[in-house]
Amino acid sequence: MTNFKYNNGDETKLHVVMSPWLAFGHMVPYLELSKLIAQKGHRALNFRKDLVASKSFGPALSTPRNIDRLLPRLPENLSSIINFVKLPLPVGDNKLPEDGEATTDVPFELIPYLKIAFNGLKVPVTEFLESSKPDWVLQDFAAFWLPPISPLSTARRSGFLNRRDSKSTPPKWVPFETPVAFKLFECRYIFRGFMAETTEGNISDIHRAGGYEAEWLGLMQDLHRKPVIPVGVLPPKPEEKFEDTDTWLTVKKWLDLRKSKSVVYVAFGSEAKPSQTELNEIALGLELSGLPFFWVLKNRRGPWDTEPVELLEGFEERTADRGMVWRGWVEQLRTLSHDSIGLVLTHPGWGTIIEAVRFAKPMAMLVFVYDQGLNARVIEEKKIGYMIPRDETEGFFTKESVAKSLRLVMEEDEGEVYRENVKEMKGVFGDMDRQDHYVDSFLDYLVANR
């Protein structure tokens, strides 16, 4: 490792290992934090699939295919500081398809087997930690087995805050007023994943997880009796250079023909796949709204998903004059930054929220999986996004509710608050000096307490 000057001018070396869960909504933020740490002279390592025989120093452990998909996000000037250690994902008889190394690669019902395989990394991770002797391990929720094998300090990703009842209220141990609580239908999404311990050999997410805002951070610290240190929102950097690929040039040509802030950008991330009924209502709602739209359609979770959803027959033909359905990957940051995008219809996954706010795009939201319900409550409270009305118990929604919500946020006087508030919030999410201060404070703690 290279010596470097850090803050107080003393010679300091810090070796940090990152261990994110095998989902891009987790791996990408860990990589962004690694980049920020590395830019300050520390060694960081991200978690990958193939185990490198020789010692590697840096902040990332993961699987080979995941690492190969993350590497394009790594600037050349950091490639010698951030090292990826590829750990082969144990497959065995766990029913995972070949190359199924991330949650986006497999159908939802196979994710418990991905977690079982992830547990199999305990031995190679132990061997790596013993040989590399890092100062810190920054761990995600899934590696519940990591603290006992790690002879060093470990930071853990926070879990979910909710109360499982029909009143959809915060737990009694939250000492302040807040609307942040799951609705009943959202609890079903959560427990669909949590109850996956019924899969033989799996460990529930409740067991894996250790348990926003200043009040929430203070509460977590009081509850767990351990320091809780924010690292910021890790916003994307639009100033990073992009290549003009054929895909982008095609998308840009279509967007360039639209008026400023007139297009609804529709995308539900790598994890969420609406049911066929939900997809139908979304499509009919877009058609009923009369608004231009650019829809990044994902109709299956990986190539092994045997139940793909399809658009209604004739939908694309009827909306061809104002809408584009894109089946494939697009550069979301670049697309969101385009001036024609005026609204994002999406799931409230935290990564998408950060990217939308970074470019001052208000949101219309539909919850599909995991912790998205709590994210949606926070965004609603800040009035930078609008939750499309749904049945509180079953989560049903209609084309009329979709159309009305889109027009409200995009055009109507009632939606002006969302359009204005997101501009103000952009100044917070896009404040790189503030972000830099968070990372400095975090590193101060790591250096002082290693």
Side-chain angles (χ1 to χ4, degrees), residues 267-270 272 345-349 352-353 364-369 372:
F268 298 105
S270 59
L345 170 56
T346 188
H347 68 311
T352 298
I353 289 171
M365 301 175 292
L366 286 168
V367 168
F368 292 110
V369 293
Q372 293 176 358

Side-chain angles (χ1 to χ4, degrees), residues 175-188:
F176 47 83
E177 291 295 323
T178 176
V180 180
F182 287 115
K183 297 183 183 298
L184 184 57
F185 76 88
E186 294 165 347
C187 290
R188 288 195 174 94

Side-chain angles (χ1 to χ4, degrees), residues 260-274:
S260 176
K261 296 180 175 54
S262 67
V263 177
V264 179
Y265 175 74
V266 187
F268 298 105
S270 59
E271 300 294 316
K273 186 189 80 173

Side-chain angles (χ1 to χ4, degrees), residues 19 47 51 61 87-90 115-130 142-150 208:
S19 176
F47 194 85
L51 181 60
L61 303 176
L87 303 174
L89 190 66
K115 291 175 180 174
I116 293 171
F118 185 77
N119 294 343
L121 293 174
K122 178 178 178 179
V123 172
V125 168
T126 301
E127 294 173 349
F128 173 78
L129 293 178
E130 288 175 346
F144 68 97
W145 37 263
L146 209 162
I149 69 173
S150 180
R208 292 176 187 271

Side-chain angles (χ1 to χ4, degrees), residues 217-228 445:
L217 293 173
L219 175 60
M220 288 175 60
Q221 187 161 282
D222 290 343
L223 290 172
H224 296 288
R225 302 298 179 188
K226 294 185 181 298
V228 176
Y445 181 86

Side-chain angles (χ1 to χ4, degrees), residues 136-157:
W136 285 86
V137 175
L138 303 189
Q139 143 190 14
D140 210 334
F141 83 98
F144 68 97
W145 37 263
L146 209 162
I149 69 173
S150 180
L152 41 87
S153 302
T154 301
R156 301 195 64 171
R157 184 177 187 269

